[in-house]
């Protein structure tokens, strides 16, 4: 392979007391890809995102982003490096306006500090203008431009999910991690989401998503990694993963388990 | 330079205009000086409420010892002026910086911990300071922790000791503080604080350095408290430990709760009401033959009732979404 | 040597009292993650209720003590019911501020009803038996009251430990402390468990209040001063950790008496603040704490 992976995880392990949430996971995301991470509930998918984004300290392993070691880097530094994410249970700044949510995302893109903010000098005013323009552009991108002045917590569920994506995009990431972006969406919204994810990729942003909606995953992913009980059990293009007996067993096992 | 019209909407400008006229009106009243003193005290509380609001309102951390910085500012300026003969204009910024440094130090151990620990440390810190100024006579000077004979500030050779001068003095300090806090609140820094107060982890994934932005809030809030203390020192001429008891912190907290935590208008209105009501209560309570301290019962009731029925302050009825 | 021994014994008595109050803070924190600032005031009311029963209702001492303990338990439950429960889903700051408010109300209510001056009524009402002293080995004098405080504190602590580890309600409390959501899914009525926690904590606080009333004086600020120290003891032991609170109480009691004796009596109250801050700086989970102090 000629190109270097954008994100490369080797031997990643995360323990919670006695629970092994991730066990020696190896995984790669190539630049420009739309890649997916799937697996039954409790497989460790969200934990993997948390470890990559610095919200949790991994137990052992190696995480590199653009050939740079980011293991144990603090969350804000990870964001500065170019990894953005959304959350499985939406975590917007729900008492702030829609526009301000996205403007906070522009934090990584701006410098203005104490003196600039107090004196409101020219550089500061230009930067604020730039932030607002960028934020409005992103709201347009996710079709929320008409909601800019609303309180984020009052948006509908699907709109909140898209706002969270806009907020993440505002950090100007190279890699976007989406944790179950289609959860709770109706088929129409899901279709729109697929289009949105594809247009994100067109902005030269690599997308790595966790999703339970198998139709969606199979339609847009170029590469899929499967976790079960914290272990990687399969990986490959959709066709390969779909017919992998271990994957089928993992999913069957889950539905059998949840029935009793 | 700063253009006032850009900061203050016309209504605020009008209010300011009338506030500037107050001393002209009181000059014709019998009790004019007394009224000016009440106004100045209310402005001082408004300044303190703005400062407390930076931490408790903007970043959402409960500060139970804000009076500690008031104390640091008061004693720093008081000692520099009364013992070392410093000019007020030199003592004021030094007091502010001194306060700000302690704000940083006080917050540092709690940066990695949950908000509850912040509340505990703030409480312990201010109580400790209170004990120190009560006990350390060598440090504070006279008996019973008094710093007395703090000279009046001078400006162009004039001593600023009259009530109308003090009135303008604190009004200017208040407006400058309001300007700084308002601009910070509506900036990238203010947005970062707001994000932190709503969801620390989500804020971090936006690239916001929690430790840095919390520390910034700690320092600014503390510096404002210390500025209030420095003003207070020359306003009172004598300062003693008794002013800086725990309940004073609670009073200031009560002000921002009453007006609505996290908003500048709320801090100002809450402080204006309770800051001037304090005097009214003192008089009316003694008239009802109740101890002056029983006004704290009312403050307690305000805290409980506001949190239960009007968490966003007396002005806003909107219930915050959880 | 005798003096030192006497101080150690004094510290133990004080420590026992702190431990009794501290478990109230720590139990409530364990189940609802709230620093119940009003707990110190319940402790204070424990003393005043006893005084009230003795002076006004002319109850015999044992009945006055019992009535006061029950009243305080009820008071704890009612405070939770009307003040804290409506805020369970509100931001943390709201409940904390409410707790401060309740504490202010209760303290000033006591001041309005009974006045600010310290009362010796309880100290005078204790039976002649309790005022006698024994000489313990080493030459130190120990009053029967202090002796019974130590013994009673130990008995109550052992009893509480049994209650928490063996009874149904104790197990339910531990379940709630671990994960309230899971506990309620398992059919535990979490509101009842929280109520029980307030009742037990408040009852123990009342016992401590009566002890202090007999040993020293009753005054409206006693809840504030002793409450803060006991809270420091809870932090010392690791807030949320019951055994820790007991240990913290004893450590603090001894530290306070020795500090006042050998350093400066002006800093007697400050010792608890200093220890509390030191623990938070160097060992935030407390002497015995869980790692819960760290953010997840
Ligand atoms: N903060 C945590 N503390 C303890 N255990 C956790 C924590 N987060 C996740 N786990 C455990 O790790 C495992 C994987 O969880 P998670 O990554 O959320 O799964 P998924 O996202 O694949 O559904 C689960 O067993 C879960 O209970
Ligand atoms: Mg998940």
């Amino acid at each position: 392979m000629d190109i270097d992976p954008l994100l490369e995880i080797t031997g990643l392990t995360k323990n919670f007391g006695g629970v092994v949430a991730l066990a020696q996971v190896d995984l790669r995301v190539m630049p420009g890809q739309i890649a997916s991470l799937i697996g039954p509930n409790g497989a460790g998918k969200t934990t993997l995102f948390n470890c990559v984004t610095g919200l949790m300290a991994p137990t052992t392993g190696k995480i590199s982003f653009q050939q740079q070691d980011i293991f144990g880097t603090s969350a804000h530094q990870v964001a500065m490096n170019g990894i953005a994410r959304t959350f499985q249970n939406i975590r917007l700044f729900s008492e702030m306006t829609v526009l301000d949510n996205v403007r906070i995302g522009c934090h990584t893109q701006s410098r203005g500090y104490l003196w600039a903010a107090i004196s409101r000098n020219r550089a500061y005013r230009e930067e604020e203008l730039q932030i607002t323009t960028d934020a409005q552009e992103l709201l347009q991108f996710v079709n929320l431009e008409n909601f800019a002045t609303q309180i984020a917590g009052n948006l509908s569920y699907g709109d909140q999910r898209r706002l969270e994506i806009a907020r993440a995009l505002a950090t100007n990431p190279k890699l976007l991690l989406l944790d179950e972006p289609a959860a709770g969406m109706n088929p129409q919204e899901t279709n729109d989401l697929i289009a949105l994810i594809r247009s994100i990729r067109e902005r030269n942003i690599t997308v790595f998503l966790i999703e339970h909606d198998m139709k969606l995953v199979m339609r847009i992913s170029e590469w899929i990694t499967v976790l079960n009980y914290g272990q990687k059990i399969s990986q490959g293009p959709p066709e390969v993963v779909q017919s992998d007996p271990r994957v089928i067993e993992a999913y069957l096992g889950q539905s059998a388990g949840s029935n009793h | 330079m700063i253009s006032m019209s850009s900061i203050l909407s016309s209504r605020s400008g009008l209010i300011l205009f009338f506030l500037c006229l107050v001393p002209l009106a009181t000059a014709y009243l019998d009790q004019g000086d007394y009224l000016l003193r009440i106004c100045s005290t209310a402005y001082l509380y408004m300044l303190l409420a703005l400062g407390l609001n930076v931490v408790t309102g903007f970043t959402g951390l409960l500060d139970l010892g804000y009076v500690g910085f008031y104390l640091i500012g008061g004693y720093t300026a008081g000692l520099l002026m009364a013992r070392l003969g410093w000019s007020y204009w030199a003592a004021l910024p030094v007091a502010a910086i001194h306060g700000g440094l302690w704000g940083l130090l006080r917050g540092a151990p709690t940066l990695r911990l949950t908000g509850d620990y912040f509340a505990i440390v703030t409480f312990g810190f201010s109580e400790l300071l209170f004990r120190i100024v009560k006990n350390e006579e060598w440090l504070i000077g006279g008996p019973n922790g008094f710093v007395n004979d703090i000279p009046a500030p001078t400006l162009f050779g004039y001593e600023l000791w009259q009530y109308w001068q003090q009135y303008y003095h604190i009004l200017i300090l208040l407006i400058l503080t309001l300007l700084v806090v308002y601009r910070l609140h509506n900036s990238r820094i203010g947005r970062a604080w707001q994000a932190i107060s709503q969801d620390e982890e989500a804020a971090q994934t936006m690239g916001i350095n929690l430790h840095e932005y919390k520390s910034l809030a700690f320092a600014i809030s503390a510096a404002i408290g210390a500025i209030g203390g420095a003003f207070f020192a020359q306003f009172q001429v004598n300062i003693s430990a008794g002013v800086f008891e725990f309940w004073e912190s609670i009073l200031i907290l009560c002000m921002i709760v009453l007006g609505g935590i996290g908003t500048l208008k709320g801090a100002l209105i809450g402080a204006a009401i309770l800051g001037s009501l304090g005097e009214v209560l003192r008089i009316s309570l003694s008239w009802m033959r109740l101890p002056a301290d029983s006004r704290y019962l009312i403050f307690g009731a305000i805290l409980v009732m506001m949190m239960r029925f009007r968490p966003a302050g007396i002005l806003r009825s909107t219930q915050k979404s959880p | 040597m005798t003096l030192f021994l006497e101080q150690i014994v004094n510290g133990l008595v004080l420590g026992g009292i702190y431990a009794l109050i501290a478990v109230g803070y720590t139990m409530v924190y364990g189940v609802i993650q709230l620093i119940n600032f009003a707990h110190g005031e319940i402790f204070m009311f424990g003393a005043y209720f006893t005084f009230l029963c003795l002076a006004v209702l002319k109850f015999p001492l044992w009945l006055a003590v019992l009535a006061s303990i029950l009243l305080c338990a009820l008071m704890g439950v009612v405070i939770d019911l009307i003040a804290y429960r409506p805020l369970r889903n509100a931001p943390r700051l709201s409940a904390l501020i409410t707790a401060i408010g309740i504490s202010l109300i209760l303290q000033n209510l006591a001041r309005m009803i009974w006045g600010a001056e310290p009362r010796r009524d309880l100290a005078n009402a204790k039976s002649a038996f309790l005022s006698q002293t024994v000489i313990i080995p080493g030459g130190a004098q120990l009053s029967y009251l202090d002796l019974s405080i130590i013994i009673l504190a130990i008995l109550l602590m052992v009893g509480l430990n049994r209650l928490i580890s063996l009874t149904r309600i104790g197990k339910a409390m531990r379940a709630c402390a671990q994960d309230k959501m899971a506990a309620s899914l398992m059919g535990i009525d979490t509101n009842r468990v929280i109520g029980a926690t307030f009742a037990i904590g408040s009852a123990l606080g009342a016992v401590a209040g009566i002890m202090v009333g007999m040993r020293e004086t009753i005054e409206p600020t006693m809840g504030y001063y002793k409450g803060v120290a006991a809270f420091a003891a809870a932090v010392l032991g690791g807030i949320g950790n019951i055994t820790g609170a007991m240990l913290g109480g004893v450590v603090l009691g001894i530290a306070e008496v020795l500090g006042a004796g050998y350093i400066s009596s002006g800093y007697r109250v400050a010792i608890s603040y200093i220890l509390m801050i030191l623990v938070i700086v160097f060992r935030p989970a407390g002497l015995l704490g869980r790692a819960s102090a760290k953010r997840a």
Side-chain angles (χ1 to χ4, degrees):
Chain A
M1 221 181 276
D2 292 328
I3 347 163
D4 290 319
L6 183 66
L7 176 72
E8 184 167 28
I9 294 172
T10 9
L12 186 68
T13 300
K14 173 71 188 173
N15 300 330
F16 293 110
V19 180
V20 183
L22 292 171
Q24 295 288 331
V25 175
D26 297 330
L27 174 159
R28 296 171 140 203
V29 177
M30 304 306 289
Q33 256 184 353
I34 295 180
S36 295
L37 181 63
I38 64 171
N41 268 326
K45 306 179 297 291
T46 300
T47 304
L48 186 133
F49 272 20
N50 286 340
C51 290
V52 170
T53 52
L55 288 182
M56 276 176 185
T59 311
T60 55
K62 193 164 173 273
I63 305 175
S64 51
F65 178 65
Q66 296 183 306
Q67 278 61 252
Q68 296 224 322
D69 184 18
I70 58 162
F71 182 93
T73 309
S74 54
H76 67 92
Q77 196 56 52
V78 171
M80 288 285 183
N81 287 349
I83 302 181
R85 72 171 290 175
T86 65
F87 294 89
Q88 182 174 346
N89 47 338
I90 305 172
R91 285 170 81 169
L92 287 170
F93 304 114
S94 56
E95 287 164 29
M96 299 172 74
T97 65
V98 168
L99 185 67
D100 272 349
N101 266 275
V102 185
R103 292 210 290 181
I104 286 178
C106 298
H107 189 86
T108 59
Q109 299 306 301
S110 47
R111 301 277 84 84
Y113 212 53
L114 264 187
W115 177 242
I118 294 172
S119 69
R120 297 215 163 156
N121 56 22
R122 196 178 159 141
Y124 170 83
R125 292 196 305 268
E126 279 168 7
E127 188 177 87
E128 282 289 295
L129 207 64
Q130 186 64 45
I131 289 174
T132 309
T133 326
D134 290 351
Q136 275 161 345
E137 190 269 326
L138 280 167
L139 283 181
Q140 223 154 30
F141 181 67
V142 298
N143 273 327
L144 286 173
E145 67 272 24
N146 294 332
F147 298 90
T149 55
Q150 297 219 6
I151 298 296
N154 297 342
L155 293 187
S156 76
Y157 197 75
D159 287 348
Q160 291 198 13
R161 286 235 175 257
R162 276 182 295 130
L163 175 55
E164 218 190 2
I165 293 177
R167 184 181 72 173
L169 289 175
T171 66
N172 195 18
K174 300 185 187 74
L175 173 65
L176 176 63
L177 308 178
L178 302 173
D179 197 341
E180 304 198 12
M185 284 189 171
N186 61 34
Q188 175 58 43
E189 286 174 322
T190 307
N191 271 334
D192 293 348
L193 179 71
I194 290 175
L196 180 65
I197 292 174
R198 289 197 168 126
S199 56
I200 290 172
R201 194 246 302 263
E202 276 157 27
R203 294 183 150 218
N204 280 326
I205 297 168
T206 307
V207 179
F208 186 30
L209 65 134
I210 295 174
E211 194 40 74
H212 276 303
D213 183 337
M214 281 307 136
K215 275 212 289 269
L216 182 151
V217 170
M218 296 303 161
R219 259 173 74 188
I220 61 168
S221 316
E222 285 140 17
W223 189 262
I224 299 174
T225 307
V226 190
L227 287 183
N228 193 22
Y229 294 116
Q231 286 181 323
K232 186 174 77 178
I233 55 168
S234 178
Q235 65 181 2
E239 318 79 73
V240 175
V241 168
Q242 223 164 353
S243 51
D244 188 329
R246 280 169 302 181
V247 177
I248 296 166
E249 194 191 331
Y251 274 91
L252 285 178
Q254 187 207 16
S255 52
S258 63
N259 277 343
H260 78 88
Chain B
M1 254 321 283
I2 297 159
S3 96
M4 280 295 169
S5 59
S6 72
I7 336 140
L8 300 158
S9 70
S10 60
R11 189 160 56 137
S12 318
L14 209 62
I15 294 174
L16 184 63
F17 181 70
F18 279 113
L19 293 183
C20 287
L21 293 183
V22 167
L24 300 182
T26 54
Y28 296 97
L29 296 175
D30 266 356
Q31 298 271 328
D33 278 352
Y34 178 62
L35 254 167
L36 281 182
R37 196 177 164 81
I38 291 185
C39 286
S40 305
T41 307
Y43 296 164
L44 176 58
Y45 276 118
M46 286 158 92
L47 180 137
L48 293 173
L50 283 176
L52 173 64
N53 194 49
V54 170
V55 165
T56 299
F58 295 164
T59 68
L61 291 165
L62 182 58
D63 186 333
L64 290 178
Y66 191 60
V67 78
F69 302 118
Y70 189 45
L71 181 156
I72 289 175
Y75 276 98
T76 306
L79 287 173
L80 287 176
M81 291 165 73
R83 303 268 186 278
L84 302 180
W86 280 40
S87 136
Y88 174 73
W89 309 111
L92 182 71
V94 169
I97 292 169
H98 190 207
L101 282 177
W102 281 105
L104 281 180
L105 275 177
R106 186 189 74 167
T110 66
L111 284 172
R112 291 172 191 288
L113 307 172
T114 59
D116 292 337
Y117 284 82
F118 180 77
I120 299 168
V121 167
T122 55
F123 170 79
F125 175 78
S126 82
E127 285 294 275
L128 209 52
L129 282 181
F130 175 68
R131 297 286 144 199
I132 291 173
V133 293
K134 247 186 132 170
N135 284 306
E136 298 303 322
E137 290 177 6
W138 61 272
L139 180 68
I140 308 305
N144 306 324
F146 254 83
V147 177
N148 51 7
D149 297 330
I150 299 164
T154 51
L155 196 63
F156 308 122
Y158 292 100
E159 285 204 344
L160 309 179
W161 58 268
Q162 295 185 51
Y163 282 117
W164 67 268
Q165 292 167 325
Q166 294 284 5
Y167 178 94
Y168 285 120
H169 179 179
I170 185 66
L171 185 61
I172 290 170
L173 285 181
L174 172 63
I175 289 168
L176 289 178
T177 306
L178 178 59
L179 184 77
V180 167
V181 174
Y182 173 84
R183 290 189 160 190
L184 285 175
H185 183 47
N186 290 289
S187 73
R188 174 173 174 267
I189 296 172
R191 287 193 296 269
W193 285 337
Q194 238 180 319
I196 290 172
S197 78
Q198 293 188 25
D199 188 333
E200 291 191 352
E201 287 195 345
Q204 282 177 290
T205 65
M206 299 289 107
I208 294 165
N209 183 340
L210 271 192
H211 293 192
E212 179 190 343
Y213 278 85
K214 279 189 183 176
S215 297
L216 196 60
F218 296 161
I220 292 169
S221 166
I224 294 173
I227 289 173
F231 171 83
F232 180 75
Q234 59 82 39
F235 187 54
Q236 287 288 45
V237 185
N238 305 308
I239 49 171
S240 65
V243 183
F244 306 103
E245 288 218 60
F246 173 60
W247 310 114
E248 196 72 8
S249 292
I250 297 302
L251 173 61
I252 305 169
L253 176 68
C254 203
M255 292 170 178
I256 68 170
V257 166
L258 186 69
I261 290 183
T263 65
L264 297 183
K265 223 190 226 168
L268 292 177
I269 290 175
I273 295 175
L274 292 185
S276 44
L277 192 72
E279 200 66 19
V280 177
L281 276 179
R282 220 193 308 273
I283 296 163
S284 53
L285 285 175
S286 73
W287 185 71
M288 289 187 284
R289 304 185 53 206
L290 290 169
D293 274 353
S294 55
R295 66 183 188 280
Y296 285 107
L297 186 98
I298 297 167
F299 296 153
I302 289 175
L303 291 178
V304 175
M305 291 302 170
M306 294 299 295
M307 285 298 108
R308 178 82 169 80
F309 300 108
R310 288 238 167 179
I314 39 169
L315 296 183
R316 290 189 303 162
S317 56
T318 45
Q319 200 84 21
K320 279 190 183 178
S321 55
Chain C
M1 187 59 211
T2 311
L3 179 70
F4 179 75
L5 195 69
E6 230 154 45
Q7 278 174 328
I8 291 286
V9 172
N10 251 328
L12 275 178
V13 176
L14 196 59
I17 291 169
Y18 285 158
L20 282 176
I21 313 172
V23 290
Y25 282 110
T26 226
M27 283 167 71
V28 165
Y29 193 89
V31 292
I32 54 173
Q33 284 76 50
L34 170 73
I35 302 175
N36 179 18
F37 290 101
H39 185 60
E41 271 59 50
I42 293 184
F43 151 87
M44 176 258 297
F45 268 83
Y48 273 109
F49 281 150
T50 313
F51 152 68
L52 199 68
C53 293
L54 283 173
V56 181
L57 305 174
K58 309 285 180 211
F59 282 4
L61 185 62
W62 68 270
L63 188 61
V65 166
L66 195 68
S68 152
I69 291 172
L70 290 177
L71 274 172
C72 282
L74 184 69
M75 195 167 148
V77 174
V78 170
I79 289 173
D80 172 53
L81 194 71
I82 62 176
Y84 302 149
R85 193 183 290 184
L87 298 175
R88 289 274 204 264
N89 296 318
R92 290 281 284 279
L93 195 61
S94 306
L96 269 181
I97 291 175
T98 301
I100 295 264
I102 297 283
S103 157
L104 272 180
I105 294 176
L106 292 179
Q107 187 185 131
N108 288 288
L109 208 58
R111 185 173 289 128
M112 283 168 74
I113 301 174
W114 294 297
E117 64 284 356
R119 290 173 175 276
R120 297 200 50 86
D121 303 65
L122 273 194
N124 297 336
K126 65 172 185 258
S127 57
F129 170 76
L130 287 177
S131 312
Q132 295 169 23
T133 54
V134 286
I135 309 283
I136 56 170
Q141 275 205 352
L142 180 61
S143 73
Y144 276 21
L145 176 66
D146 285 355
L147 193 63
S148 17
I149 288 177
I150 294 179
I151 294 171
L152 192 59
I154 292 173
L155 285 179
L156 284 172
M157 290 294 136
V158 171
L160 180 67
N161 252 339
R162 285 290 168 92
L163 181 96
I164 299 284
S165 55
L166 300 179
T167 64
R168 259 179 60 130
I169 187 74
K171 283 176 189 160
M173 274 177 195
R174 279 183 297 149
C176 284
Q178 287 263 316
D179 186 343
K180 262 209 297 303
M181 187 79 121
S184 71
L185 286 177
M186 278 156 49
I188 294 175
D189 180 348
T190 52
N191 274 332
R192 270 185 64 172
V193 174
I194 295 167
T197 310
F198 271 93
I200 296 171
S202 303
L204 293 175
V207 174
I210 300 164
M211 289 171 173
V212 171
M214 289 185 174
R215 207 170 172 256
E216 303 169 18
T217 53
I218 322 176
E219 51 196 307
T221 51
M222 67 190 275
Y224 172 68
Y225 287 115
K226 289 281 194 298
V228 168
F231 179 73
V235 173
L236 223 55
I239 186 141
N241 182 324
I242 294 177
T243 325
M246 301 173 190
L247 177 73
V250 174
V251 169
L252 192 64
I254 292 175
E256 201 183 299
V257 171
L258 290 184
Y262 292 99
I263 303 170
S264 150
S265 62
Y267 282 108
R268 190 184 174 112
V269 197
I271 287 165
S272 52
Y273 308 135
I274 295 173
L275 279 179
M276 185 166 79
I277 292 178
L278 285 180
V279 163
I280 289 178
V281 172
F282 295 107
R283 215 183 140 78
L287 300 174
L288 295 181
R290 309 179 295 199
S292 65
K294 279 247 168 79
R295 57 178 81 258

